[in-house]
């Protein structure tokens, strides 16, 4: 799966240079959030939840990284670019954790080593099995206990949500999408639009539902689900599987035990 990267820099020229260096490392496939002014970057960060954040420490106050505390359930790897005279501002990053620190003026070789370190961390986390935690939801007059990774997808309608589970069951809970998000910790459970969450670890094939429109999902238990998705949701999935109309790898196996593929 591609690693998503957000670069927060003062100028588009600095953004382009950092992006070029990362693209040319060859460590992994990367996707990049578009350049944005520092005052807009914090909002985009919270919305897109990139895997890696590269940020110039001198503009961190404008970025307002303190809001990133909301992302504790889905931590981003942080590469900080810092001048020695500006190190006092680094405290705001300590609580979340810094993956790598590159001193300015930034040189390509030390920056490439920082990217390699971050990629190794992400690879190690992807290989580590994640059993998932048990979470509780309000359902009618009872409490529903579920392993979060047994949830295939969530469809929310204001103050209630329908949870589709791996065994095919559907459960309705009395919580909207914001309440559901607060329960879920796994990186595999991705909010793809304002009312839909999809468990990427359960999907072995993504394709167009030619007959019914929307999206065809093949799960790792061999079943298939057809569901309409908004343009925002499809756009989110395209960022994960960016090569539309071509095959790209998805972690897992299909129902026949072969390596899974996703085609768009």
């Amino acid at each position: 799966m591609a690693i998503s990267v957000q670069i927060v820099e003062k100028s588009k020229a600095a953004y382009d240079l950092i992006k070029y260096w990362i693209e040319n490392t060859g460590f992994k496939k990367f996707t990049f959030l578009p350049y944005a002014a520092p005052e807009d970057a914090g909002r985009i960060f919270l919305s897109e939840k990139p895997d890696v954040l590269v940020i110039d420490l001198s503009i961190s106050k404008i970025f307002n990284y303190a809001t990133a505390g909301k992302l504790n359930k889905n931590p981003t790897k942080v590469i900080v670019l810092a001048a020695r005279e500006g190190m006092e501002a680094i405290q705001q990053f300590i609580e979340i954790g810094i993956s790598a620190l590159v001193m300015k003026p930034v040189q390509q070789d030390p920056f490439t080593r920082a990217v390699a370190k971050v990629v190794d961390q992400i690879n190690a986390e992807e290989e580590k099995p994640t059993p998932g935690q048990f979470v509780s939801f309000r359902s009618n007059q009872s409490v529903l206990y579920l392993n979060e990774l047994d949830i295939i997808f969530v469809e929310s309608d204001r103050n209630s949500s329908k949870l589709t589970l791996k065994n095919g069951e559907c459960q309705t809970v009395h919580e909207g999408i914001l309440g559901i998000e607060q329960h879920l910790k796994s990186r595999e459970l991705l909010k793809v639009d304002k009312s839909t969450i999809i468990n990427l670890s359960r999907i072995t094939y993504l394709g167009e539902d030619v007959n019914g429109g929307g999206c065809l999902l093949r799960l790792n238990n061999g079943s298939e689900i057809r569901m309409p998705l908004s343009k925002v949701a499809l756009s989110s999935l395209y960022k994960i599987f960016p090569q539309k109309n071509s095959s790209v790898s998805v972690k897992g196996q299909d129902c026949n035990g072969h390596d899974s593929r996703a085609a768009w």
Side-chain angles (χ1 to χ4, degrees), residues 107-128:
Q107 301 296 321
Q108 185 171 4
D109 286 346
F111 180 78
T112 298
R113 289 195 295 270
V115 174
K117 178 182 178 182
V118 166
V119 170
D120 286 344
Q121 291 174 353
I122 293 174
N123 287 340
E125 290 175 0
E126 287 180 349
E127 294 170 1
K128 187 188 304 181

Side-chain angles (χ1 to χ4, degrees), residues 80-92:
V80 174
L81 314 178
R84 296 187 185 281
E85 60 272 18
M87 287 297 290
E88 69 277 0
I90 206 166
Q91 181 60 41
Q92 62 182 312

Side-chain angles (χ1 to χ4, degrees), residues 165-264:
L165 308 181
K166 69 175 184 178
N167 61 5
E169 289 184 15
C170 290
Q171 296 282 354
T172 298
V173 299
H174 300 301
E175 295 190 53
I177 197 73
L178 295 179
I180 297 291
E181 276 193 294
Q182 292 176 357
H183 290 291
L184 304 177
K185 305 297 181 183
S186 172
R187 293 173 62 93
E188 302 292 348
L189 289 158
L190 178 69
K191 182 181 176 183
V192 293
D193 65 17
K194 63 182 181 181
S195 61
T196 309
I197 295 173
I198 294 180
N199 185 344
L200 298 179
S201 69
R202 295 291 181 182
I203 298 172
T204 62
Y205 178 90
L206 302 175
E208 182 181 1
D209 182 4
V210 177
N211 296 322
C215 187
L216 170 67
L217 307 179
R218 184 176 301 148
L219 308 181
N220 56 4
N221 62 6
S223 62
E224 292 185 349
I225 297 174
R226 290 169 171 81
M227 59 183 299
L229 288 178
S230 67
K231 291 182 179 179
V232 173
L234 289 173
S235 177
S236 297
L237 291 173
Y238 289 159
K239 291 176 183 177
I240 301 169
F241 310 109
Q243 297 180 5
K244 186 178 180 183
N245 296 325
S246 65
S247 293
V248 294
S249 295
V250 177
K251 185 168 57 178
Q253 293 185 328
D254 62 19
C255 57
N256 298 316
H258 301 124
D259 288 341
S260 61
R261 309 292 290 179
W264 287 89

Side-chain angles (χ1 to χ4, degrees), residues 70-101:
K70 298 176 182 178
L71 290 185
N72 283 335
K73 67 178 183 178
N74 188 16
T76 296
K77 307 301 179 188
V78 181
I79 300 176
V80 174
L81 314 178
R84 296 187 185 281
E85 60 272 18
M87 287 297 290
E88 69 277 0
I90 206 166
Q91 181 60 41
Q92 62 182 312
F93 290 91
I94 297 300
E95 293 182 3
I96 301 297
I98 299 173
S99 298
L101 177 64

